[in-house]
Amino acid sequence: MRQTPFVEMTGIDKAFDGNKVLQNVHLTVNKGEVHALMGENGAGKSTLIKIMCGVHSRDAGEVKVNNEPIVFKTPKEAEERGINIIHQELNIIPELTVTQNMFLGKELTYGKTGILNKQAMRKATKKSLLELGVDSIHPDELAGNLSVGQQQMIEIARALATKSELIVMDEPTAALTDREIESLFEVINSLRDRGVSIIYVSHRMEEIFAICDRITVLRDGLYVGTEVIKETTFDDIVRMMVGRELGERFPTRHAEIGDVVLSVENLALAGVFKDVSFHVRAGEILGVAGLMGAGRTEVVETIFGYRKKEQGEVKLHGKSIEINHPVDAVQHGIAFITEDRKDKGLLIDASIRDNVALTNLSTISKSGVVIRSKEKSLVDDLVKRLHVRMAHVHQPVKSLSGGNQQKVVIAKWLGIQPQVLILDEPTRGVDIGAKKEIYSIMNELSENGVAIVMISSELPEVLGISDRIMVLHEGKVMRKLQREEADQEKIMLAATGRYHDEK
Amino acid sequence: MRNKLSENIAKIGPLIGLVFIVILLAFLSDSFLTVDNILNLLRQISINALIAFGMTFVILTAGIDLSVGSLLALGSALTAGMLSSGMDPILAIFLGLIIGLVLGALNGLIITKGKVAPFIATLATMTIFRGATLVYTDGKPVTGLSDSVLFQMMGKGYFFFIPVPVIIMLVVFLVLYFILHNTVFGRRVYAVGGNEEAATLSGVKSDRIKILVYSLTGMLAVLAGIILTSRLNSAQPTAGTMYELDAIAAVVIGGTSLMGGRGRITGTLIGALIIGVISNGLNLLNVSSFYQQIVKGAVILFAVMLDRSRD
């Protein structure tokens, strides 16, 4: 084992607006090490990373790179010392080619003429991609035509091209398919062999145990500890993160399953999906599995009236209903927690109050005038019920962590007291503690007779919380399974189109 | 700390600016801080303020309305036409406002149903409305208007010692302030501008909200036009040229983000005051109107740069 540290951060303190977000935090990453950084949302991971990369300044503490004390004032200075970050939201310009993206801002030219040396750039791109073992990407392809996984490879290649010695990967697998995750791991392994260090920020425990060498855990801005992965266990890490025993990951379900609430018959959207039929009963959780692009999100967006259906029927309690706009769905008591919090779920600059109030304006107003007292009590109740961690309700939601943002989205929808709740990837980018809270909210709602449809790409989650599972592949329903008969393999077979239930 | 501080500066920044300019001018000119001059100043800004109030709603939805100046001219000309034909002034004014509402709704429909970007849509209707005004008036002012007290009062009258246009402006301000901050509609205006997709998925009929804000702006532009017509006792076919720019400037100086979803109508009132105080003060100091334009432009730039530095 190589033990030479590349980056050492010791005694880091940082406060925003007087809130201490980091107190005496340490992080040491060795050369050629894959180091996991874990902690619940709001634990201070991103702040620590941003200090390392020169985005934020530190209030106290020391940062050493290659044993030399250093203060980065800008991300560029950090980059020059070989520290790169690959954000969850990729810095790829879809309208440009792979090569143009690779050399963005550092284009090769013929001498100082300013004329681009396209040949050399194309060659270099091809070479860097090959070094990563990626031969499926053509340098002249538009980046926008590539999958998210491939775009990520471009970013990694770009980081390596600048002689990167440490790459921070923030939730790198959040949007990847299983196969893409596998090839990302191969790349990470080859980087490790070349002596490149990696900081792997993720909530996915399985991945951390599969790929990382050591792990540092933060909790509430404090340093909890650093462990060698091989000498620790899943439960140890969870205990470190939450500071207590978390118990079972999924709540025990004993909701009484009642009559059919929502049924969908032969729903179709041109070119995306067809013949989608299913139902969900009161108190039941229907899990919807499938790969990316299977049309899961489109199905629920169509039910919700956000997309115009081509044909088919939606029934509520056996009666056909016409939904032409989300407002119709809301009036029928259907709530939809969207996949993408920032783009579709929240007014990201607006306050928690404004976000929660938005779906509930009709109940907190009289003749179009908002009644402040009603609004206050509704919003206060909901954020309390969901344990949203915040300073006050007038705080902009963008200042909250991912898990708390998601709780705000759920809060705004619980206000309408839905009879049908649709959740699309409800725990994406959410830490273990918040995940558990979200599961227990779902469980509680189902016990109160709400019919729940949950789309998820995380199979343990689908298997852990659903009563029934529906699998989609390329816009078709491939299989419906009772929870007892379902397992990961059966779901994957159907999701990849290798099993089709002809019924 | 930095965040809270800059947030607060954004809220009171325009007000500090206004106070600063007022104090400066009070020192530079004896006639600036007199009751007469202040009332005169308020009357001068009332027309721009009315248009800018509407513009605030439009910009809060992340839109823009370039047609307000032309819409003002068209609405005024049609109202003046009705008045000179001897129609009951109350009815004529009412119909004039409805015309403004309908023309504004037309903008909104083109933007939402026609899916044309607000900048392009209202750039086109700006030309169309101006052309229609010239066609209707044959390029000549509409005169021989009603001598009804009500109509004459709108531009020239006083209530006690306060000019009627100022009173109209303040009443409209209070009503719009209430609408924006205390009604469901107001909340939805912010929501649509903040994130249209999320607003729609939360059950907001975003298209309808947009059509309504453009209608409101159209109506306010014609209201401003009627005040102007009353003041001049005629409707000019070229009235309102470039008014859209002053209105947008007032909104922006007042701290409302052109990206939508963030801003306040109080800021717009202060923005209109800042523009008015600057031209009034520079006039008193005998600064040529050529230089005044340079100063006004510089103030707009300064305000926008202050706004940008917040992010």
Side-chain angles (χ1 to χ4, degrees), chain A residues 426-461:
Chain A
T427 65
R428 175 171 290 172
V430 163
D431 64 61
I432 288 210
K435 262 187 191 176
K436 224 191 120 146
E437 284 181 77
I438 290 172
Y439 298 141
S440 54
I441 293 160
M442 288 170 65
N443 191 33
E444 186 195 313
L445 288 169
S446 69
E447 279 170 11
N448 291 333
V450 178
I452 298 179
V453 179
M454 179 194 70
I455 297 178
S456 174
S457 297
E458 279 189 53
L459 289 184
E461 175 172 290

Side-chain angles (χ1 to χ4, degrees), chain A residues 16-18 301 304 306 325-328 330 336 338 341-349 353-354 357-359 361-362 364-365 368-372 375 392 398 412-413, chain B residues 1-5 7 177-188 190-207 259-262 311:
Chain A
F16 291 114
D17 292 344
E301 283 184 351
F304 198 67
Y306 190 63
H325 187 279
V327 73
D328 302 328
V330 175
F336 176 30
T338 50
R341 283 192 288 279
K342 278 188 193 126
D343 286 349
K344 291 181 174 177
L346 291 168
L347 313 170
I348 202 80
D349 289 318
R353 182 200 72 172
D354 286 352
L358 186 62
T359 42
L361 286 171
S362 52
I364 56 170
S365 65
V369 178
V370 176
I371 301 163
R372 299 269 173 161
E375 175 179 43
H392 49 81
K398 70 173 166 210
K412 77 179 210 182
W413 282 113
Chain B
M1 246 356 169
R2 216 182 51 203
N3 260 336
K4 253 182 205 163
L5 196 68
E7 198 64 28
Y177 181 91
F178 182 81
I179 290 178
L180 201 51
H181 295 287
N182 292 293
T183 67
V184 171
F185 172 69
R187 288 294 176 81
R188 289 182 173 157
Y190 278 102
V192 169
N195 184 344
E196 191 180 339
E197 252 186 309
T200 305
L201 280 163
S202 300
V204 174
K205 293 198 164 170
S206 303
D207 283 359
M259 310 296 287
R262 220 177 48 187
D311 301 317

Side-chain angles (χ1 to χ4, degrees), chain B residues 99-167:
Chain B
I99 289 168
L101 194 82
V102 171
L103 294 176
L106 184 69
N107 277 332
L109 283 169
I110 296 170
I111 289 160
T112 54
K113 305 299 172 199
K115 300 194 197 309
V116 182
F119 186 91
I120 305 297
T122 58
L123 186 69
T125 54
M126 171 173 95
T127 315
I128 294 170
F129 294 159
R130 183 66 65 189
T133 314
L134 291 167
V135 170
Y136 175 73
T137 60
D138 201 14
K140 294 185 220 73
V142 184
T143 51
L145 309 180
S146 156
D147 43 14
S148 102
V149 180
L150 176 86
F151 172 69
Q152 294 294 340
M153 282 282 281
M154 279 189 77
K156 289 180 284 222
Y158 286 85
F159 185 74
F160 292 102
F161 56 92
I162 303 171
V164 172
V166 176
I167 298 196

Side-chain angles (χ1 to χ4, degrees), chain A residues 138-156:
Chain A
H138 193 278
D140 292 334
E141 181 78 50
L142 283 183
N145 296 341
L146 302 176
S147 71
V148 184
Q150 289 175 314
Q151 292 181 0
Q152 203 169 41
M153 291 301 158
I154 302 177
E155 284 230 30
I156 296 174

Side-chain angles (χ1 to χ4, degrees), chain B residues 16-91:
Chain B
I16 294 174
L18 178 63
V19 170
F20 176 75
I21 298 169
V22 167
I23 292 174
L24 191 70
L25 286 171
F27 276 109
L28 291 176
S29 163
D30 290 339
S31 38
F32 176 72
L33 216 54
T34 58
V35 174
D36 275 357
N37 186 51
I38 296 299
L39 289 176
N40 186 31
L41 187 158
L42 288 174
R43 188 177 53 210
Q44 285 165 358
I45 69 150
S46 57
I47 287 174
N48 180 33
L50 284 171
I51 302 172
F53 292 159
M55 193 68 80
T56 309
F57 280 73
V58 168
I59 290 179
L60 278 176
T61 65
I64 194 95
D65 189 345
L66 300 178
S67 74
V68 281
S70 304
L71 205 154
L72 177 151
L74 182 55
S76 314
L78 292 170
T79 311
M82 290 187 279
L83 285 167
S84 65
S85 74
M87 186 189 281
D88 176 59
I90 295 182
L91 182 62

Side-chain angles (χ1 to χ4, degrees), chain B residues 124-303:
Chain B
T125 54
M126 171 173 95
T127 315
I128 294 170
F129 294 159
R130 183 66 65 189
T133 314
L134 291 167
V135 170
Y136 175 73
T137 60
D138 201 14
K140 294 185 220 73
V142 184
T143 51
L145 309 180
S146 156
D147 43 14
S148 102
V149 180
L150 176 86
F151 172 69
Q152 294 294 340
M153 282 282 281
M154 279 189 77
K156 289 180 284 222
Y158 286 85
F159 185 74
F160 292 102
F161 56 92
I162 303 171
V164 172
V166 176
I167 298 196
I168 296 177
M169 173 186 81
L170 290 176
V171 169
V172 169
F173 171 76
L174 291 175
V175 171
L176 293 179
Y177 181 91
F178 182 81
I179 290 178
L180 201 51
H181 295 287
N182 292 293
T183 67
V184 171
F185 172 69
R187 288 294 176 81
R188 289 182 173 157
V189 168
Y190 278 102
V192 169
N195 184 344
E196 191 180 339
E197 252 186 309
T200 305
L201 280 163
S202 300
V204 174
K205 293 198 164 170
S206 303
D207 283 359
R208 187 192 283 179
I209 299 290
K210 287 199 210 166
I211 294 168
L212 281 171
V213 298
Y214 285 95
S215 310
L216 174 72
T217 304
M219 190 168 77
L220 289 171
V222 174
L223 176 62
I226 294 171
I227 292 172
L228 187 67
T229 309
S230 158
R231 190 150 179 72
L232 303 173
N233 218 3
S234 67
Q236 304 288 332
T238 54
T241 310
M242 305 278 271
Y243 278 21
E244 58 281 351
L245 296 186
D246 272 354
I248 294 168
V251 176
V252 170
I253 293 173
T256 295
S257 162
L258 285 172
M259 310 296 287
R262 220 177 48 187
R264 284 161 303 276
I265 195 165
T266 322
T268 302
L269 179 61
I270 293 168
L273 279 166
I274 288 178
I275 296 176
V277 166
I278 288 173
S279 19
N280 175 280
L282 295 177
N283 272 334
L284 290 178
L285 296 172
N286 291 320
V287 176
S288 127
S289 66
F290 300 164
Y291 283 104
Q292 289 190 22
Q293 299 198 16
I294 296 175
V295 174
K296 205 155 79 180
V299 169
I300 296 171
L301 273 181
F302 179 72

Side-chain angles (χ1 to χ4, degrees), chain A residues 195-208:
Chain A
V196 176
S197 314
I198 291 182
I199 296 181
Y200 194 91
V201 182
S202 176
H203 291 305
R204 297 191 179 172
M205 204 71 92
E206 292 87 352
E207 291 175 6
I208 284 172

